[in-house]
């Protein structure tokens, strides 16, 4: 019996509602997984070396954790644009990403309809009653999975009456053309930005007997092409290296589908052989999806070098653009999707800020002792890039902290904010304290004696040594150099006492403008003391977030990803 208009409207509403539940469940689950598994993903990618099999495994595991190859590729684009990875390193990870997505199809192929509402309820109340943020996020993961299962069940319920609708059956009959079925899967995935949704719909259709196994496989193959749209959009406006990573994703997925589109019948046979006797059609469909992605990944794994060179040929380097000093090097907005990655990018950018302040502090000594008015003004202007970059870092950290962060990540975010603020404060002390004293020296025609200049030079060198210690701790995430800075207090205090005694002796000297000279010299020593105190405060902050490591292991010394990526 053909359904009436009212029934068709009800079917459509139920179908759209089920799809909405599926989409919302994917969103909730993926967001919570990024929070819970962020540190794990960071560790996995950090341990990845140039070994292509390690990269393949890393891509598969990370994608299995967040259940989206598109998100994995977007994160890789962010990693590359932030300088954490090269496009050549990303090739194997991208190949492995598609393997990770097969977990969704394997799970959905089970009869999970009855689990939807119980998991939805358990996840909701679990997240509502959880006292710790991590437990709340785990509750949201369960909630998201429950919504996905319930959405699948709702779509199955909606599609059951459609077996009696000739117009709908005629529409599905057009998908017997496997190329059209693949195009439909690609378009749906590009529109909804998730291959898991297209694969889920294919499982529902084949489970209800509305399409054949071959058609469902073609839709799943097309979904792999549709995921490329997300990566391409993410690469817009990114550095050339990041665009190349997106292009690798496109070439790999499109070439894989083109290669297999003529062998779907054989793929269906392999899916039957790989499943237990009497297995359902959705199980065959999930197995075919897994076989396709595994075979594709291992087939292209032997050509990662050639693939990287092809993309380099298609997208050659552009003439280098001179970036202003304050331009951020690592603050890619794509990494904000996973706070653990965003915080590591912020750490690297704080390192960039320390480079600017170090350069400013290094130039201060000759300028304040004997520099001309032009050199004094140049030292003042050097603080502007520091202020601008500091503002970018604070804004980025603010965005990273807008969501609910685990306690450890919140602690790290606040620590990075404090370090950035302290570095900016040091820049201000150079641009105000030292510059003001230098201008007064010039206006009052004060000449600092060689003996006093030597004493100030010793203070300056000790401050720079402390600065290098906190910078090393920040770069290596090792509390050891920071502890050494904390231990410099006694030596620096003794040096300050020596400087004070020297100034008293000089104050008694019979020399012109002795009082003005004494005032200027005391200003300089006091400013160096203030800067040293701030550096010790930075060191204390670093000790709170970094662990002391006695010696780096081989991976730390030689692993290319270890040098660029997170911990």
């Amino acid at each position: 019996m053909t359904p009436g208009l009212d029934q068709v409207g009800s079917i459509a509403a139920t179908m759209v509602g089920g799809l909405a539940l599926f989409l919302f469940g994917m969103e909730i689950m993926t967001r919570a997984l990024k929070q819970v598994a962020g540190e794990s993903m960071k560790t996995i990618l950090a341990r990845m070396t140039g070994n292509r099999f390690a990269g393949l495994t890393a891509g598969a595991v990370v994608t299995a954790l967040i259940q989206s190859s598109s998100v994995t590729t977007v994160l890789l684009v962010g990693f590359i644009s932030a300088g954490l990875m090269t496009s050549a390193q990303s090739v194997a990870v991208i190949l492995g990403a598609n393997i990770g997505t097969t977990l969704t199809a394997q799970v959905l192929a089970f009869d999970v309809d009855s689990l939807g509402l119980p998991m939805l309820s358990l996840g909701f109340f679990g997240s509502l009653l959880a006292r710790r943020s991590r437990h709340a996020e785990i509750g949201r993961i369960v909630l998201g999975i429950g919504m996905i299962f319930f959405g699948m069940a709702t779509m199955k319920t909606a599609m059951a009456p459609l077996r009696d609708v000739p117009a709908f059956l005629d529409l599905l009959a057009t998908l017997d053309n496997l190329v059209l079925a693949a195009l439909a899967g690609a378009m749906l995935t590009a529109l909804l930005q998730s291959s898991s949704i297209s694969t889920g719909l294919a499982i529902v259709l084949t489970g209800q007997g509305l399409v054949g196994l071959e058609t469902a496989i073609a839709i799943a193959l097309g979904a792999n092409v549709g995921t490329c749209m997300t990566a391409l959009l993410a690469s817009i406006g990114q550095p050339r290296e990041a665009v190349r990573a997106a292009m690798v994703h496109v070439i790999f997925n499109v070439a894989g589908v083109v290669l297999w589109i003529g062998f779907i019948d054989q793929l269906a046979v392999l899916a039957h052989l790989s499943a237990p006797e009497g297995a359902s059609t959705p199980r065959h469909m999930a197995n075919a999806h897994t076989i396709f992605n595994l075979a594709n990944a291992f087939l292209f794994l032997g050509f990662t070098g050639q693939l990287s060179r092809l993309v380099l040929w298609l997208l050659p380097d552009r003439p280098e653009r001179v970036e202003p000093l304050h331009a951020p090097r690592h603050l890619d907005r794509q990494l904000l999707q996973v706070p653990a990655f965003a915080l590591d990018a912020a750490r690297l950018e704080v390192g960039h800020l320390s480079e600017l302040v170090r350069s400013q502090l290094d130039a201060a000594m000759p300028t304040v002792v004997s520099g001309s008015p032009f050199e004094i003004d140049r030292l003042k202007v050097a603080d502007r890039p520091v202020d601008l970059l500091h503002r970018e870092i604070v804004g980025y950290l603010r965005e990273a902290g807008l969501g609910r962060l685990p306690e450890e990540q919140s602690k790290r975010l606040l620590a990075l904010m404090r370090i950035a603020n302290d570095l900016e404060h040091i820049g201000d002390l150079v641009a105000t304290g030292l510059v003001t004293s230098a201008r007064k020296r010039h206006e009052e025609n004060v000449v600092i004696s060689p003996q006093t200049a030597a004493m100030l030079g010793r203070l300056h060198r000790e401050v720079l040594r402390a600065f290098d210690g906190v910078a090393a701790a920040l770069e290596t995430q090792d509390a050891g150099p920071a502890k050494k800075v904390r231990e410099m207090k006694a030596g620096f205090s003794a040096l300050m006492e020596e400087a004070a005694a020297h100034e008293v002796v000089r104050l008694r000297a019979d020399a012109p403008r002795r009082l003005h000279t004494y005032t200027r010299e005391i200003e300089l020593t006091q400013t160096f003391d203030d800067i040293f105190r701030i550096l010790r405060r930075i060191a204390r902050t670093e000790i709170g977030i970094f662990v002391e490591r006695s010696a780096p292991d081989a991976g730390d010394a030689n692993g290319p990803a270890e040098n660029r990526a997170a911990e």
Side-chain angles (χ1 to χ4, degrees):
M1 178 179 176
T2 303
L5 287 177
D6 290 344
Q7 192 175 359
V8 170
S10 176
I11 290 171
T14 306
M15 182 66 191
V16 172
L19 180 61
L21 282 170
F22 191 105
L23 283 166
F24 193 39
M26 285 292 295
E27 172 67 20
I28 291 174
M29 182 189 72
T30 302
R31 187 180 301 170
L33 278 168
K34 289 175 188 174
Q35 294 285 354
V36 172
E39 289 296 332
S40 300
M41 289 190 290
K42 193 174 77 166
T43 301
I44 290 166
L45 288 174
R47 298 300 177 193
M48 185 195 71
T49 65
N51 185 307
R52 63 186 69 181
F53 291 100
L56 184 78
T57 304
V61 173
V62 168
T63 306
L65 286 172
I66 57 177
Q67 276 309 291
S68 175
S69 61
S70 299
V71 172
T72 300
T73 306
V74 168
L75 289 175
L76 288 176
V77 168
F79 258 57
I80 294 165
S81 63
L84 297 165
M85 184 183 289
T86 66
S87 60
Q89 285 178 299
S90 71
V91 174
V93 183
I94 292 169
L95 299 186
N98 283 0
I99 297 176
T101 60
T102 62
L103 179 64
T104 303
Q106 290 294 339
V107 172
L108 295 180
F110 289 105
D111 187 7
V112 295
D113 297 2
S114 59
L115 298 177
L117 284 176
M119 292 190 73
L120 196 155
S121 303
L122 178 64
F124 174 76
F125 288 108
S127 62
L128 184 67
L129 300 175
R131 294 186 178 182
R132 297 181 61 182
S133 60
R134 182 177 179 82
H135 295 159
E137 295 297 345
I138 292 173
R140 290 188 185 92
I141 293 171
V142 177
L143 171 63
I145 294 172
M147 292 184 74
I148 291 170
F149 289 172
F150 188 58
M152 287 280 293
T154 303
M155 287 189 286
K156 287 179 183 177
T157 302
M159 284 185 177
L162 294 177
R163 296 193 190 97
D164 301 321
V165 180
F168 184 72
L169 295 175
D170 290 342
L171 176 64
L172 292 181
T174 62
L175 297 181
D176 288 342
N177 184 320
L178 299 183
V179 175
L180 289 178
L183 287 173
M187 291 174 62
L188 184 63
T189 302
L191 181 65
L192 300 178
Q193 298 289 287
S194 174
S195 62
S196 296
I197 296 169
S198 300
T199 305
L201 281 173
I203 287 174
V204 170
L205 288 170
T206 191
Q208 294 295 313
L210 294 171
V211 300
L213 176 59
E214 290 78 7
T215 299
I217 293 173
I219 293 172
L221 263 62
N224 278 28
V225 176
T227 59
C228 300
M229 183 59 68
T230 308
L232 287 174
L233 290 174
S235 69
I236 294 175
Q238 300 294 340
R240 206 64 161 178
E241 282 270 294
V243 180
R244 287 177 188 141
M247 185 58 67
V248 168
H249 186 64
V250 172
I251 293 173
F252 168 59
N253 281 6
V254 172
V257 171
V258 170
L259 185 65
W260 281 91
I261 195 72
F263 298 96
I264 288 180
D265 290 339
Q266 289 78 3
L267 197 54
V269 171
L270 286 174
H272 277 285
L273 293 174
S274 65
E277 188 174 349
S280 63
T281 307
R283 173 57 57 204
H284 296 145
M285 153 60 193
N287 285 2
H289 184 245
T290 300
I291 292 169
F292 161 73
N293 282 299
L294 277 171
N296 242 18
F298 282 102
L299 179 64
F300 280 87
L301 191 61
F303 300 96
T304 53
Q306 291 86 340
L307 190 55
S308 181
R309 286 194 291 273
L310 172 62
V311 172
L312 183 62
W313 178 74
L314 292 172
L315 295 169
D317 289 324
R318 291 180 293 198
E320 286 192 17
R321 187 173 55 182
V322 178
E323 296 286 354
L325 287 175
H326 65 269
R329 297 174 182 171
H330 310 286
L331 304 183
D332 193 283
R333 263 31 188 198
Q334 304 293 345
L335 298 180
L336 290 168
Q337 295 187 47
V338 182
F341 291 168
L343 291 179
D344 207 58
R347 176 185 63 81
L348 293 173
E349 201 62 59
V350 173
H352 176 202
L353 179 65
S354 75
E355 292 174 13
L356 296 185
V357 178
R358 173 62 161 79
S359 176
Q360 185 185 10
L361 186 59
D362 191 34
M365 186 58 196
T367 301
V368 298
V369 171
S370 59
S372 65
F374 173 76
E375 290 170 325
I376 296 171
D377 289 340
R378 187 169 60 184
L379 183 61
K380 172 72 174 177
V381 171
D383 188 50
R384 182 60 177 163
V386 172
D387 290 339
L388 292 174
L389 183 58
H390 171 258
R391 186 186 306 166
E392 292 283 347
I393 292 171
V394 170
Y396 189 81
L397 287 172
R398 173 188 168 275
E399 288 186 61
L402 288 177
R404 294 179 58 179
L405 298 180
E407 183 179 349
E408 183 61 32
Q409 291 181 10
S410 295
K411 179 181 175 183
R412 183 168 288 233
L413 185 147
L414 291 174
L416 289 173
M417 189 82 77
R418 285 198 298 269
I419 293 171
N421 291 341
D422 283 339
L423 287 170
E424 193 269 343
H425 189 193
I426 292 174
D428 286 343
L429 285 175
V430 174
T432 54
L434 294 182
V435 165
T436 301
S437 181
R439 282 176 175 166
K440 288 180 179 179
R441 168 189 61 77
H442 189 268
E443 291 167 2
E444 296 168 357
N445 199 26
V446 166
V447 177
I448 295 177
S449 69
Q451 297 88 341
T452 302
M455 175 58 69
L456 291 171
R458 290 172 63 192
L459 286 171
H460 182 247
R461 285 192 296 274
E462 197 70 358
V463 168
L464 287 179
R465 189 162 73 89
F467 197 106
D468 291 339
V470 299
L474 187 66
E475 181 182 359
T476 61
Q477 301 182 83
D478 183 357
K483 287 185 176 180
K484 291 179 181 178
V485 172
R486 296 288 297 174
E487 293 166 0
M488 290 173 62
K489 180 181 180 181
F492 192 82
S493 296
L495 195 58
M496 283 294 295
E497 289 292 335
E498 187 179 342
H502 171 80
E503 291 301 332
V504 170
V505 172
R506 291 292 299 160
L507 183 60
R508 296 172 183 163
D510 183 15
R513 311 189 66 79
R514 188 61 255 165
L515 189 59
H516 289 87
T517 304
Y518 173 81
T519 304
R520 300 289 80 81
E521 292 169 353
I522 287 296
E523 282 176 349
L524 295 177
T525 56
Q526 188 57 54
T527 303
F528 284 138
D529 186 46
D530 291 340
I531 292 173
F532 182 77
R533 290 174 187 271
I534 295 173
L535 290 170
R536 291 189 74 246
R537 188 166 68 207
I538 293 175
R540 184 176 61 200
T541 302
E542 292 174 334
I543 291 170
I545 59 171
F546 300 142
V547 177
E548 185 173 6
R549 295 180 294 204
S550 56
D553 56 27
D556 294 332
N558 303 316
E562 187 76 17
N563 295 334
R564 298 179 180 88
E567 294 174 342

